[in-house]
Protein backbone atom coordinates (compact mmCIF):
# COMPACT_ATOMS: atom_id res chain seq x y z
CA UNK A 1 0.00 0.00 0.00
CA UNK A 2 1.43 3.35 -1.07
CA UNK A 3 1.49 6.05 1.59
CA UNK A 4 0.24 9.45 0.38
CA UNK A 5 2.77 12.18 1.02
CA UNK A 6 1.67 15.62 2.20
CA UNK A 7 1.56 18.41 -0.36
CA UNK A 8 4.09 21.23 -0.32
CA UNK A 9 1.41 23.49 1.15
CA UNK A 10 0.69 20.98 3.92
CA UNK A 11 4.40 20.61 4.67
CA UNK A 12 5.16 24.31 4.78
CA UNK A 13 1.90 25.72 6.09
CA UNK A 14 0.32 29.13 5.48
CA UNK A 15 3.13 31.05 7.15
CA UNK A 16 5.53 30.09 4.35
CA UNK A 17 3.07 29.76 1.48
CA UNK A 18 1.63 33.22 2.38
CA UNK A 19 0.91 36.01 -0.05
CA UNK A 20 2.64 36.54 -3.38
CA UNK A 21 4.31 39.81 -2.38
CA UNK A 22 6.01 37.99 0.49
CA UNK A 23 7.18 35.27 -1.92
CA UNK A 24 8.60 37.88 -4.28
CA UNK A 25 10.50 39.55 -1.44
CA UNK A 26 11.85 36.20 -0.26
CA UNK A 27 12.87 35.17 -3.78
CA UNK A 28 14.48 38.55 -4.50
CA UNK A 29 16.44 38.31 -1.26
CA UNK A 30 17.61 34.80 -2.17
CA UNK A 31 18.69 35.97 -5.63
CA UNK A 32 20.39 39.16 -4.48
CA UNK A 33 23.93 37.91 -5.09
CA UNK A 34 23.05 36.84 -8.65
CA UNK A 35 21.94 40.29 -9.76
CA UNK A 36 18.66 38.85 -11.07
CA UNK A 37 15.71 41.20 -10.55
CA UNK A 38 12.06 40.21 -10.24
CA UNK A 39 9.65 42.54 -12.02
CA UNK A 40 5.97 42.18 -11.19
CA UNK A 41 3.94 43.51 -14.12
CA UNK A 42 0.44 44.64 -13.20
CA UNK A 43 -1.62 43.50 -16.18
CA UNK A 44 -1.55 40.92 -18.92
CA UNK A 45 -1.23 43.38 -21.82
CA UNK A 46 1.85 45.05 -20.30
CA UNK A 47 3.29 41.66 -19.30
CA UNK A 48 2.91 40.24 -22.80
CA UNK A 49 4.41 43.41 -24.33
CA UNK A 50 7.39 43.26 -21.94
CA UNK A 51 7.99 39.57 -22.69
CA UNK A 52 7.70 40.13 -26.47
CA UNK A 53 10.01 43.17 -26.30
CA UNK A 54 12.63 40.98 -24.64
CA UNK A 55 12.00 38.15 -27.13
CA UNK A 56 10.67 35.82 -24.43
CA UNK A 57 8.12 33.03 -24.92
CA UNK A 58 4.43 33.80 -25.37
CA UNK A 59 1.59 32.36 -23.29
CA UNK A 60 3.39 32.14 -19.95
CA UNK A 61 2.55 33.29 -16.41
CA UNK A 62 6.14 34.20 -15.64
CA UNK A 63 9.50 33.96 -17.30
CA UNK A 64 13.20 34.04 -16.43
CA UNK A 65 15.17 35.90 -19.10
CA UNK A 66 18.82 34.98 -18.67
CA UNK A 67 19.94 37.49 -21.31
CA UNK A 68 18.58 40.44 -19.31
CA UNK A 69 18.90 38.92 -15.84
CA UNK A 70 15.28 39.47 -14.97
CA UNK A 71 12.23 37.54 -13.99
CA UNK A 72 8.89 38.86 -15.21
CA UNK A 73 5.71 37.82 -13.41
CA UNK A 74 2.16 38.53 -14.61
CA UNK A 75 0.61 39.95 -11.44
CA UNK A 76 -2.90 40.07 -12.98
CA UNK A 77 -2.97 36.28 -13.39
CA UNK A 78 -1.87 35.87 -9.79
CA UNK A 79 -4.57 38.27 -8.60
CA UNK A 80 -7.24 36.40 -10.56
CA UNK A 81 -6.10 33.06 -9.18
CA UNK A 82 -5.19 31.76 -12.65
CA UNK A 83 -1.62 31.35 -11.49
CA UNK A 84 -0.36 31.08 -7.93
CA UNK A 85 2.70 32.04 -5.94
CA UNK A 86 4.52 28.90 -7.02
CA UNK A 87 5.24 30.61 -10.34
CA UNK A 88 7.49 33.01 -8.40
CA UNK A 89 9.56 30.14 -6.99
CA UNK A 90 9.55 28.30 -10.32
CA UNK A 91 11.03 31.31 -12.12
CA UNK A 92 13.39 32.15 -9.24
CA UNK A 93 14.77 28.61 -9.38
CA UNK A 94 15.93 29.00 -12.99
CA UNK A 95 19.02 31.13 -12.21
CA UNK A 96 20.04 28.73 -9.45
CA UNK A 97 19.71 25.71 -11.74
CA UNK A 98 21.63 27.59 -14.45
CA UNK A 99 24.49 28.15 -12.01
CA UNK A 100 24.61 24.44 -11.12
CA UNK A 101 24.38 23.36 -14.78
CA UNK A 102 27.03 25.86 -15.90
CA UNK A 103 29.52 25.34 -13.06
CA UNK A 104 29.09 21.66 -12.18
CA UNK A 105 27.63 19.79 -15.14
CA UNK A 106 28.38 16.33 -13.63
CA UNK A 107 26.23 17.24 -10.61
CA UNK A 108 23.48 18.61 -12.86
CA UNK A 109 23.60 15.41 -14.93
CA UNK A 110 23.20 13.35 -11.74
CA UNK A 111 20.15 15.42 -10.77
CA UNK A 112 18.57 14.81 -14.18
CA UNK A 113 19.41 11.09 -14.09
CA UNK A 114 17.97 10.81 -10.58
CA UNK A 115 14.81 12.62 -11.61
CA UNK A 116 14.33 10.31 -14.59
CA UNK A 117 14.95 7.24 -12.45
CA UNK A 118 12.47 8.48 -9.83
CA UNK A 119 9.85 9.01 -12.56
CA UNK A 120 9.78 5.25 -13.12
CA UNK A 121 8.15 4.69 -9.74
CA UNK A 122 6.85 8.12 -8.65
CA UNK A 123 3.75 9.31 -10.51
CA UNK A 124 4.24 12.92 -9.41
CA UNK A 125 7.79 13.06 -10.81
CA UNK A 126 6.61 11.33 -13.98
CA UNK A 127 3.79 13.88 -14.33
CA UNK A 128 6.27 16.76 -14.05
CA UNK A 129 8.53 15.22 -16.69
CA UNK A 130 5.55 14.70 -18.99
CA UNK A 131 4.40 18.30 -18.39
CA UNK A 132 7.86 19.64 -19.21
CA UNK A 133 8.10 17.52 -22.35
CA UNK A 134 4.59 18.47 -23.51
CA UNK A 135 5.19 22.19 -22.98
CA UNK A 136 8.87 22.53 -23.89
CA UNK A 137 9.74 19.46 -25.96
CA UNK A 138 10.11 21.45 -29.17
CA UNK A 139 12.84 23.52 -27.49
CA UNK A 140 15.05 20.50 -26.87
CA UNK A 141 16.06 18.17 -24.07
CA UNK A 142 18.07 20.82 -22.23
CA UNK A 143 15.06 23.10 -21.83
CA UNK A 144 12.83 20.16 -20.87
CA UNK A 145 15.33 19.12 -18.17
CA UNK A 146 15.62 22.68 -16.80
CA UNK A 147 11.85 23.13 -16.66
CA UNK A 148 11.31 19.76 -15.02
CA UNK A 149 13.90 20.46 -12.32
CA UNK A 150 12.51 23.88 -11.42
CA UNK A 151 8.95 22.56 -11.43
CA UNK A 152 9.76 19.85 -8.87
Amino acid sequence: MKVEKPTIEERLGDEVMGDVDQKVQMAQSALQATGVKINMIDNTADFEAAVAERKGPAGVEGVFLSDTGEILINKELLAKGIADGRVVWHEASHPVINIVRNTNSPLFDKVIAGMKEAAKTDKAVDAVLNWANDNYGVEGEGVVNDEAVVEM
Side-chain angles (χ1 to χ4, degrees), residues 4-134:
E4 292 297 320
K5 296 179 182 175
T7 65
I8 292 170
E9 292 84 354
E10 291 167 340
R11 289 179 185 171
L12 299 178
D14 290 337
E15 65 277 0
V16 175
M17 293 305 290
D19 67 72
V20 171
D21 290 332
Q22 179 188 24
K23 290 183 183 85
V24 170
Q25 290 173 355
M26 291 169 68
Q28 189 64 73
S29 176
L31 292 172
Q32 187 173 6
T34 68
V36 172
K37 299 291 182 205
I38 300 174
N39 297 319
M40 299 294 287
I41 300 177
D42 289 330
N43 62 69
T44 299
D46 290 347
F47 173 80
E48 289 175 352
V51 171
E53 176 183 313
R54 293 161 177 85
K55 298 181 177 27
V60 295
E61 302 156 344
V63 62
F64 167 58
L65 302 165
S66 59
D67 292 347
T68 62
E70 56 187 333
I71 293 170
L72 306 178
I73 304 288
N74 185 336
K75 196 170 183 178
E76 181 178 2
L77 293 182
L78 295 174
K80 289 181 176 178
I82 295 169
D84 63 30
R86 287 177 283 202
V87 72
V88 173
W89 288 110
H90 173 102
E91 299 306 337
S93 297
H94 278 292
V96 176
I97 292 302
N98 286 1
I99 290 167
V100 173
R101 185 182 63 244
N102 295 336
T103 63
N104 192 342
S105 60
L107 175 61
F108 182 78
D109 293 344
K110 286 179 184 178
V111 170
I112 299 304
M115 184 174 59
K116 289 179 178 180
E117 185 64 28
K120 294 176 183 176
T121 57
D122 188 317
K123 289 180 182 180
V125 175
D126 187 53
V128 169
L129 285 172
N130 287 328
W131 167 86
N133 194 52
D134 290 348

